[in-house]
Amino acid sequence: MAVDVLLGLQWGDEGKGKIVDVITPGYNAVARFQGGPNAGHSLEFNGIKHVLHTIPSGIFREGIINIVGNGVVIDPVVLKKETDALAKLGVDFRSRLLLSRKAHLILPTHRLLDAASEKSKGNAKIGSTLRGIGPTYMDKTGRNGLRVGDTTSEDFKDKYRFLIAKHAEILKFQDFAYNLSEYEKEWFEGIELVKSLQHVDSEHLLNRYLEEGKRVLAEGAQGSMLDIDFGSYPFVTSSNTITAGACTGLGIAPGNIGKVIGIFKAYCTRVGSGPFPTELTNETGEHLRKKGHEYGATTGRPRRCGWLDLVALKYAIMLNGVTELIMTKADILSGFKKINVCTHYLLNGKKIDYVPYESEGITPVYKELQGWNEDLSELKSVSSIPDELNAYITYIEKELKTPVTIVSVGPDRRQTLPRRAVSAHI
Ligand code: GDP
Ligand code: IMO
Ligand code: MG
């Protein structure tokens, strides 16, 4: 058996949480492989919306194991809030949730360092979610970090104090005022929760699952255009969000990767700073934001909106080895007479069909397609989707040379239309 990977192909918030929840019944285990509580993955059923930040989106399905992999960074405070919410709903998370011993911990001072770094950047700030992601990964690669496995060791508090003192020096140097005591209390409450959960060597466990013929789904966070290496650096997150990140973030050999399911929105959104070639800063962008409820699931910030960008999607498909596509939020495009799709860029006046190193001087070149008026949210089958939407999808498939296997037409589990026989998910 191989691990299937599901990830976002744009700038995050493509609808990964919803789709993971929908296809989880086809798997034995779901595993997050990177990122941390900068992620906000929403899913909806029985009229209730749930937002997860650290816990994989398969957690609501009975009998499925959910693993937080070694590549993830965990804030115990956020994790506790998530498990408290699950407990209220009667979800038996204790039997379903496993934490990798090698996953790194976000300390209270990592959040402060994030805030100090953004403050010092002024107008050039990344627009980080300020969840401490960058500083935690810096300590991981700097070989200073604390991990889940450390929480059960006797000298855990000493290790914590040692690292906090180091951070305090940096914060003093940056002249950043703060008060740690309040958050520290919550943090240690979170650590008690972390200690009480099941810790595993997830690389061994996952490879054993594969040997036993069990099906594993790796759930990505953020999106390919926010990848630390291939995104619009420095306006990126601090992990590899692409398929390769599933190998390092879970301990899966490249040859054991199966399907790569790439999720994209029928248009584009981005939160935070950085280049966004197809951004619409006009009424159309505002319309997409309002109709699509494009406000961050983690920070509540308004998302920047724009037309679909095929150049960026081709890049993401190349980097990830995407074998099938899932299109979300098709319902939000209903009502447009014409819909634009970016096919090329003009880079300082020269037409190009790839994502260049340069991030300045890019203008999108559009192809205009026919829109549709029908409300899609109640559709029960792909056979009843409007001809214009069919033409939109077929055009995208042709350009991207990759099949679209599912079309999502609303936030609820049920608003999901399988499109191709190759999709054995639902
Ligand atoms: P994620 O980070 O990729 O999991 O995506 P988010 O949860 O941050 O953002 C996606 C938003 O769109 C959430 O509010 C979802 O409930 C919602 N959503 C997902 N799929 C659809 C869809 O097909 N149509 C509509 N209207 N909303 C959707
Ligand atoms: P999900 O998993 C959208 C963005 C931030 C910022 C940049 C760096 O829900 O798709 P960070 O907090 O990592 O230092 O922020 O990345 N960003 C996201 N944007 N969805 C996300 O996650 C994101 N996680 C980080 O807005 O621009
Ligand atoms: Mg999100």
Side-chain angles (χ1 to χ4, degrees):
M1 270 293 163
V3 172
D4 291 346
V5 182
L6 179 147
L7 35 70
L9 300 180
Q10 295 160 322
W11 287 270
D13 303 329
E14 296 89 351
K16 298 175 290 293
K18 172 197 161 156
I19 301 297
V20 169
D21 170 63
V22 168
I23 69 175
T24 288
Y27 292 91
N28 301 99
V30 181
R32 267 279 300 272
F33 59 87
Q34 45 67 236
N38 48 348
H41 294 182
S42 323
L43 52 108
E44 207 173 305
F45 55 90
N46 299 339
I48 304 175
K49 181 174 177 164
H50 308 274
V51 182
L52 296 162
H53 302 285
T54 321
I55 297 175
S57 305
I59 197 73
F60 291 96
R61 304 286 195 174
E62 267 174 52
I64 313 280
I65 292 297
N66 285 258
I67 300 170
V68 179
N70 57 278
V72 176
V73 290
I74 301 175
D75 185 334
V77 177
V78 180
L79 184 64
K80 179 150 190 319
K81 286 191 179 135
E82 291 179 71
T83 54
D84 284 351
L86 291 173
K88 263 199 195 133
L89 296 165
V91 176
D92 175 21
F93 64 87
R94 288 195 178 273
S95 67
R96 296 180 202 166
L97 181 63
L98 310 179
L99 307 182
S100 164
R101 290 195 175 90
K102 295 191 175 75
H104 278 247
L105 297 172
I106 302 177
L107 270 56
T109 38
H110 283 131
R111 290 171 64 115
L112 296 169
L113 289 167
D114 218 355
S117 165
E118 283 288 76
K119 191 170 164 235
S120 71
K121 284 186 163 101
N123 282 342
K125 70 174 185 188
I126 309 294
S128 164
T129 60
L130 301 178
R131 296 304 187 262
I133 305 296
T136 307
Y137 278 116
M138 280 164 72
D139 268 340
K140 175 178 177 175
T141 50
R143 293 150 300 171
N144 301 312
L146 293 183
R147 304 189 289 180
V148 165
D150 292 318
T151 58
T152 53
S153 76
E154 278 190 358
D155 59 349
F156 176 65
K157 274 210 167 142
D158 296 337
K159 285 181 178 159
Y160 169 83
R161 294 274 163 231
F162 184 79
L163 190 50
I164 288 275
K166 202 168 181 162
H167 293 160
E169 286 298 313
I170 306 171
L171 289 163
K172 197 159 85 188
F173 178 72
Q174 295 195 342
D175 206 14
F176 191 80
Y178 62 91
N179 177 358
L180 203 58
S181 51
E182 182 81 351
Y183 200 75
E184 208 166 43
K185 185 171 161 283
E186 270 188 273
W187 195 81
F188 277 103
E189 284 164 13
I191 286 295
E192 286 309 308
L193 167 86
V194 167
K195 281 162 79 173
S196 76
L197 295 173
Q198 300 185 61
H199 300 178
V200 289
D201 297 319
S202 50
E203 67 280 28
H204 290 303
L205 182 72
L206 285 165
N207 281 286
R208 202 176 69 229
Y209 281 173
L210 296 187
E211 273 174 28
E212 291 169 358
K214 291 191 172 142
R215 303 199 60 199
V216 177
L217 178 66
E219 173 179 356
Q222 290 80 56
S224 301
M225 302 310 284
L226 290 172
D227 182 90
I228 181 71
D229 281 284
F230 301 106
S232 44
Y233 193 89
F235 302 103
V236 292
T237 191
S238 300
S239 63
N240 280 116
T241 59
I242 58 172
T243 305
C247 296
T248 56
L250 295 174
I252 300 297
N256 284 335
I257 298 291
K259 288 196 270 196
V260 179
I261 306 162
I263 315 268
F264 71 101
K265 253 180 222 183
Y267 50 97
C268 283
T269 61
R270 176 167 200 167
V271 217
S273 325
F276 182 2
T278 62
E279 181 171 14
L280 295 163
T281 50
N282 55 13
E283 275 171 20
T284 311
E286 189 55 35
H287 171 79
L288 285 171
R289 178 158 43 248
K290 284 227 169 82
K291 189 165 181 204
H293 305 290
E294 296 295 358
Y295 297 89
T298 296
T299 59
R301 291 178 292 174
R303 294 174 181 151
R304 299 154 66 192
C305 298
W307 294 120
L308 190 68
D309 183 341
L310 291 181
V311 185
L313 274 181
K314 269 182 208 164
Y315 186 57
I317 289 170
M318 173 185 87
L319 296 170
N320 288 304
V322 171
T323 55
E324 62 182 274
L325 293 163
I326 292 180
M327 184 165 104
T328 60
K329 297 200 124 169
D331 52 309
I332 304 302
L333 287 186
S334 291
F336 280 101
K337 269 209 171 77
K338 304 277 182 193
I339 295 171
N340 281 338
V341 177
C342 169
T343 56
H344 294 81
Y345 297 148
L346 289 181
L347 175 63
N348 299 321
K350 191 171 163 263
K351 198 169 171 185
I352 59 167
D353 63 358
Y354 59 89
V355 174
Y357 178 79
E358 297 84 349
S359 56
E360 304 279 317
I362 294 176
T363 325
V365 178
Y366 289 116
K367 179 177 169 67
E368 196 179 73
L369 298 173
Q370 286 297 326
W372 57 91
N373 261 323
E374 292 84 340
D375 173 11
L376 309 179
S377 59
E378 296 300 325
L379 292 188
K380 294 284 168 283
S381 137
V382 80
S383 61
S384 38
I385 67 175
D387 291 344
E388 295 83 355
L389 173 56
N390 243 334
Y392 187 67
I393 299 169
T394 311
Y395 175 72
I396 293 167
E397 281 184 318
K398 205 172 117 249
E399 288 296 305
L400 300 178
K401 301 188 179 72
T402 317
V404 174
T405 57
I406 292 176
V407 182
S408 172
V409 290
D412 193 273
R413 269 181 190 167
R414 287 168 303 133
Q415 293 169 305
T416 312
L417 311 176
R419 190 161 170 276
R420 294 250 187 168
V422 287
S423 174
H425 309 303
I426 53 175

